[in-house]
Amino acid sequence: MLIPHDTRIALDTVVDLVNTAPEQAEGDQLRDISSLYEFVRSHNVSGVGELGEADLDSVREVRARFAAVFAASDPRTAAELINQLVAAAGTTPQLTDHDGYDWHVHYFAPGASVADHLAADCGMALAFIVVAGEQERLRRCEAPDCGRAFVDLSRNRSRRYCDSRTCGNRLHVAAYRARRKEAAAG
């Protein structure tokens, strides 16, 4: 699956945003304005000015709506959710080449709030996945104690864990130990 650079960045951003939710093991990672600034900075979200409590609340709402897209049972449901997000953001597609990046499309309107910026750009990245017939790539980690969101970009759509080095390895080691224990007892 060929994914343009700007779409890949937006997919990484939406995954990271969904994974800041309070139901994750780390708790709500967007707990205050400073954590929102840190998220914006670490994801190179452009054109963000002064942020306030209203921005934090709006981004949390967008995060919940993105989480619903990852939970959607079928492409039609995902498409409806994405359409609502993108429409509410007032998308205004425009070509741009800033901050050392080659030409790419921004979907947010100039001067948009950070929530509308995220809803538009990340929503369009998710739309790209649905249009490509790949909605099943929007997944949650299958580790019982995890549930983090990820986009399965493996060739055969076989990824089951958010990170094979942590969640996947932990489950494989537990299964191995259980087999060894059973063999020793038998």
Side-chain angles (χ1 to χ4, degrees):
M1 171 175 210
L2 180 65
I3 299 176
H5 176 72
D6 56 324
T7 302
R8 179 59 196 254
I9 289 172
L11 288 172
D12 291 344
T13 301
V14 73
V15 163
D16 289 348
L17 180 61
V18 169
N19 288 334
T20 66
E23 54 271 5
Q24 299 304 319
E26 302 85 13
D28 192 346
Q29 294 172 40
L30 288 181
R31 59 194 161 279
D32 53 28
I33 302 296
S34 65
S35 57
L36 179 58
Y37 273 116
E38 177 56 28
F39 182 87
V40 165
R41 186 202 58 72
S42 68
H43 290 84
N44 296 319
V45 179
S46 61
V48 175
E50 187 76 23
L51 297 174
E53 286 297 325
D55 294 301
L56 181 61
D57 292 341
S58 295
V59 170
R60 286 176 176 159
E61 174 60 29
V62 166
R63 173 181 67 187
R65 295 174 80 182
F66 281 139
V69 173
F70 276 82
S73 59
D74 59 85
R76 181 165 306 282
T77 303
E80 289 171 5
L81 293 165
I82 293 166
N83 284 341
Q84 292 168 5
L85 265 163
V86 171
T91 58
T92 307
Q94 54 188 310
L95 287 168
T96 183
D97 65 340
H98 62 88
D99 297 332
Y101 293 109
D102 207 358
W103 288 105
H104 59 283
V105 180
H106 279 185
Y107 295 96
F108 59 93
S113 70
V114 66
D116 285 346
H117 179 140
L118 292 169
D121 274 1
C122 296
M124 290 305 296
L126 292 174
F128 176 80
I129 297 295
V130 172
V131 166
E134 303 285 353
Q135 185 253 338
E136 73 275 2
R137 290 184 182 271
L138 305 177
R139 299 203 174 150
R140 292 291 189 153
C141 183
E142 291 182 17
D145 59 341
C146 184
R148 292 175 62 83
F150 67 93
V151 179
D152 179 5
L153 297 177
S154 67
R155 183 173 292 202
N156 62 358
R157 298 175 191 89
S158 62
R159 189 170 157 200
R160 297 175 48 209
Y161 307 109
C162 63
D163 186 349
S164 60
R165 290 170 296 186
T166 55
C167 290
N169 191 45
R170 194 171 60 244
L171 287 176
H172 289 113
V173 167
Y176 171 76
R177 288 180 179 158
R179 285 191 305 272
R180 292 213 21 158
K181 184 177 180 181
E182 186 177 303

